[in-house]
Amino acid sequence: MAGQTLEARKPFRKPNERHLTATENATGEIVVKFHDHVRARVSPSGQLNFLGQGNLGEARRLLRNSSLQPAIKVSPIELDALEAEAAANSGKAQPDLGGLISVRVADVNDKMGIEKLARRLNRLDSVEFATIKHSLKVSSAQLTLSGGY
């Protein structure tokens, strides 16, 4: 909203590394939220770019064997409109949603590699947080043990 002073946004706390674990249901995807001032974006060719302030070198090095895409699959214009509407309704600055990046690792079965990459990304100053995605699949053994259907 024009002329409106927004309450500053507080970044999320980074997860403790011991919580960045890849269980058997890990999908091979890590979602990374870069800090708002970095304005991280993925180009159509899958290249990581920083439109704001930040050191791109270490993030690019860590991600060189992964495929990247925006975590939210809408146009930049739609993202900007969503952020503006949320800010106008809440009176609070909104996160840079374009800075949510989906990272697909080369080997989805390498659980240790997924954890290591997520933890290294999470440590970067340019990263607000990283998280490992898991599916909601339940094995038949788990259903049997829980008395499931």
Side-chain angles (χ1 to χ4, degrees):
M1 186 177 270
Q4 179 183 9
T5 301
L6 299 175
E7 182 181 323
R9 176 182 173 276
K10 292 180 181 141
F12 288 104
R13 249 183 37 198
K14 288 187 188 234
N16 186 301
E17 285 194 1
R18 72 174 188 262
H19 297 296
L20 288 172
T21 57
T23 68
E24 66 184 31
N25 291 340
T27 64
E29 181 181 4
I30 300 168
V31 175
V32 180
K33 167 63 173 84
F34 285 88
H35 281 290
D36 297 343
H37 67 273
V38 172
R39 300 204 39 84
R41 298 293 184 269
V42 177
S43 71
S45 65
Q47 184 75 25
L48 179 65
N49 298 305
F50 287 0
L51 305 178
Q53 308 162 353
N55 181 351
L56 184 60
E58 183 65 9
R60 272 199 177 151
R61 187 185 70 71
L62 290 172
L63 297 170
R64 71 180 175 270
N65 295 321
S66 303
S67 69
L68 308 178
Q69 63 183 29
I72 301 175
K73 294 162 186 64
V74 299
S75 75
I77 292 171
E78 290 173 297
L79 273 182
D80 289 345
L82 178 65
E83 290 174 21
E85 181 179 354
N89 288 335
S90 69
K92 297 179 180 180
Q94 299 299 302
D96 173 35
L97 297 177
L100 273 168
I101 308 295
S102 171
V103 176
R104 300 286 299 163
V105 300
D107 183 358
V108 298
N109 295 313
D110 181 8
K111 305 306 181 195
M112 295 293 286
I114 293 168
E115 289 179 6
K116 185 176 178 180
L117 178 58
R119 290 171 179 175
R120 285 179 158 180
L121 289 166
N122 197 57
R123 287 183 206 131
L124 294 178
D125 290 338
S126 59
V127 169
E128 187 170 333
F129 65 85
T131 187
I132 299 170
K133 286 191 73 174
H134 290 82
S135 72
L136 297 177
K137 291 188 294 188
V138 178
S139 71
S140 57
Q142 289 170 316
L143 283 175
T144 303
L145 290 174
S146 67
Y149 310 100

